[in-house]
Amino acid sequence: MRYREGADVDTSGVQDRRGGGGGRGGGRGLAVGGGGLGVVGLIVVVLFQVLGGGGGGGGGSSAGLSDVLGGLQQGQTADNTDLEAACQDGADANSSVDCATAANIDSIQDYWEQTLEGYVRTDTVFFSDQVQTRCGGATSGSGPFYCPADQLVYIDLSFFDDLQSRFGAEGGLFVNAYVIAHEYGHHVQNLLGTNAQVQPGETGPTSGTVRLELQADCYAGTWANHAETVPDASGQPLIAEITQADIDGALDAAGRIGDDFIQTELGGGTVDQDAFTHGSSEQRQRWFTTGYQSGDPNACDTFGTDDLG
């Protein structure tokens, strides 16, 4: 993945709540999971709930999250000073995860703003260690998530490192972009009211919770299809190149965050489909591919099919 040299990187879609003004490389911990327990199984959609979630199964996050609610400090105020100074153009995005993530946020939202009538832009919060949200408190450990109550995406950027070191994913700029695009897929679902189709606490291979996650993967794929052509404020694409190797890396990551892979490799070694909350590795790969090959969000109707893969 490569960003266009000379392209402006807009950091206004980021709220940097890391310590010390969010200096580059400082104050990173693992990404978070959080939110009120009443909605954690529904639309506080944690991309990788098992990280730090107290169990090997993909559906075991609620107990882990309950341990971190209640005793957290108030959320930090955002300070984008260092981020704005560091992230000026595409060259910075090509060399910095912070800047690349800001660029991805901008590109993803440009795509949805130009694709979905009534799309409302929202911010991503960079934090470290712990954060307070309108869905409740969260600590580093559960992965990136979207909180529908405040309509914000939350991420501790060192999650990208953990994705490689713990899950064995290839990693890279486009894998990171896929993670962010998935979370903005949940924002789209919230705007459309799709999450209203899901009952709290649903689990299982065909559950509404799984359908939400697979649809968010598909939405991420539709953005990827258009990423090299969607214009930014200058009228030119911010992203210059996405290679087949990038797509392969995203599929590799999707395969390593399927419920069955997590349960087998990071849990007790037994696959329990009744506990699925995100879908199998094969399903996640399939639905990202569906979005990428079609480039059409209408192809992402995971709620209108009996064949999830």
Side-chain angles (χ1 to χ4, degrees):
M1 183 177 190
R2 183 170 55 84
Y3 302 89
R4 178 170 57 84
E5 296 290 329
D8 289 335
V9 174
D10 183 0
T11 62
S12 64
V14 175
Q15 296 180 27
D16 196 343
R17 301 187 193 175
R18 297 172 295 181
R24 301 173 78 185
R28 294 184 181 177
L30 177 61
V32 330
L37 290 179
V39 291
V40 79
L42 173 58
I43 47 178
V44 181
V45 191
V46 181
L47 181 55
F48 308 120
Q49 291 173 315
V50 73
L51 293 181
S61 64
S62 294
L65 289 168
S66 66
D67 293 338
V68 305
L69 297 177
L72 301 181
Q73 301 296 317
Q74 292 297 314
Q76 307 95 318
T77 57
D79 180 357
N80 282 27
T81 304
D82 289 355
L83 191 69
E84 291 172 356
C87 304
Q88 297 292 314
D89 58 28
D92 297 322
N94 285 324
S95 61
S96 162
V97 170
D98 294 44
C99 302
T101 305
N104 294 333
I105 292 164
D106 198 25
S107 175
I108 292 162
Q109 298 212 84
D110 284 343
Y111 165 69
W112 283 112
E113 197 168 50
Q114 296 164 35
T115 301
L116 178 64
E117 184 177 358
Y119 179 77
V120 179
R121 296 177 80 99
T122 194
D123 293 346
T124 290
V125 175
F126 291 177
F127 75 98
S128 58
D129 300 326
Q130 61 186 28
V131 69
Q132 192 71 22
T133 82
R134 289 189 63 186
C135 294
T139 67
S140 295
S142 292
F145 70 95
Y146 171 76
C147 171
D150 56 26
Q151 297 193 359
L152 294 172
V153 173
Y154 292 85
I155 185 170
D156 182 324
L157 293 181
S158 71
F159 170 78
F160 297 140
D161 298 328
D162 196 78
L163 185 56
Q164 297 180 67
S165 62
R166 185 173 183 186
F167 287 86
E170 297 174 10
L173 292 179
F174 185 73
V175 172
N176 300 351
Y178 156 59
V179 171
I180 296 296
H182 175 102
E183 295 309 326
Y184 274 93
H186 289 311
H187 179 54
V188 170
Q189 291 169 331
N190 191 45
L191 294 175
L192 294 175
T194 309
N195 41 36
Q197 302 181 48
V198 181
Q199 295 299 313
E202 283 189 34
T203 62
T206 61
S207 65
T209 305
V210 165
R211 292 175 190 272
L212 281 176
E213 295 297 332
L214 296 180
Q215 186 176 65
D217 280 336
C218 188
Y219 283 161
T222 67
W223 163 76
N225 175 284
H226 296 279
E228 295 169 298
T229 58
V230 63
D232 62 12
S234 73
Q236 300 183 65
L238 191 153
I239 294 172
E241 182 182 32
I242 294 173
T243 68
Q244 184 59 49
D246 292 323
I247 300 301
D248 292 344
L251 290 172
D252 169 72
R256 293 175 184 276
I257 55 174
D259 287 316
D260 52 347
F261 182 92
I262 290 174
Q263 290 176 352
T264 301
E265 300 299 323
L266 300 178
T270 301
V271 174
D272 178 8
Q273 291 192 4
D274 290 339
F276 277 15
T277 58
H278 288 71
S280 69
S281 297
E282 183 178 356
Q283 287 174 323
R284 302 202 69 166
Q285 292 171 329
R286 170 186 170 176
W287 283 99
F288 174 83
T289 300
T290 295
Y292 179 66
Q293 291 182 345
S294 69
D296 181 7
N298 292 316
C300 298
D301 185 10
T302 56
F303 289 84
T305 180
D306 293 327
D307 181 15
L308 293 176

